[in-house]
Structures are given as C-alpha cells and as structure tokens.
Amino acid sequence: MASISVRSAHKYVMSQLKRMESGYEIELLSFKKDRSVVVMKVEDGKFRIREEGYLNGEKDLDKETLSKELKKAIEREFPRSNTLFVSSRKS
C-alpha cells in the first residue's frame, strides 16, 4: 500500500481511473484504516463510489458528477488527515 497526500488524492484517483479497465477499484484509507473511500469503475463512463466511516453508503455516478462527489467524500471522510493509504485491485 502506497501513501499519498490528501491534497493530491483527488487528482491521483481521477488520473488512475482514466487508465483503469472496468472491474477495478481504487481504495483510499485513513492512517488508522477506520475510514475509507472506494471508487470502482463499473464500465466506461460509469463509476460507483462507496464511503465507509463517517457516512456509510454507495452511489452510482457518471464521470462529471464523480469528480465533485469524490472531492466532497475526501473532505468528509478525512478532515484532519495529511496522508492517505491508496491501493488498487480488481473488484
């Protein structure tokens, strides 16, 4: 598991999603690993975002709304974090 800064998390996830194939996911975890945001690429242009921690839930989104929702989810789940753990895997 690699670590990245919270400031670069949104840009990193969006760039990785462009290169990913359908069926893969990126997981962002807090240092204590008690909060997470998972972004899955369902098919081209369709994504699913899952939050676990402060809010628990799943949303199906398109590419335009994913960017806004991802920013909000990162701010909500990791308000005092400086670094996050990131991993990608086949879902």
Side-chain angles (χ1 to χ4, degrees):
M1 238 185 268
S3 64
I4 59 172
S5 72
V6 171
R7 291 182 183 186
S8 64
H10 177 263
K11 187 176 178 180
Y12 175 81
V13 170
M14 294 306 290
S15 68
Q16 290 297 313
L17 287 174
K18 288 179 186 176
R19 293 185 227 143
M20 265 201 216
E21 296 177 13
S22 298
Y24 282 84
E25 65 184 21
I26 296 176
E27 183 176 31
L28 299 172
L29 292 160
S30 65
F31 181 76
K32 291 173 27 177
K33 296 178 182 65
D34 60 343
R35 295 177 179 226
S36 68
V37 174
V38 180
V39 181
M40 294 174 265
K41 187 169 188 177
V42 180
E43 55 187 51
D44 289 338
K46 304 267 184 184
F47 301 92
R48 182 173 295 141
I49 187 168
R50 183 176 67 230
E51 291 182 58
E52 296 172 358
Y54 183 71
L55 286 181
N56 296 319
E58 249 183 47
K59 294 180 186 177
D60 289 331
L61 307 165
D62 59 356
K63 190 172 184 175
E64 291 78 29
T65 56
L66 173 68
S67 182
K68 291 179 184 178
E69 287 294 323
L70 181 60
K71 280 183 183 179
K72 289 178 187 176
I74 290 172
E75 290 173 4
R76 184 172 39 243
E77 293 296 333
F78 313 113
R80 292 173 298 279
S81 297
N82 293 318
T83 59
L84 301 174
F85 290 110
V86 64
S87 67
S88 60
R89 62 179 180 256
K90 187 161 178 79
S91 56

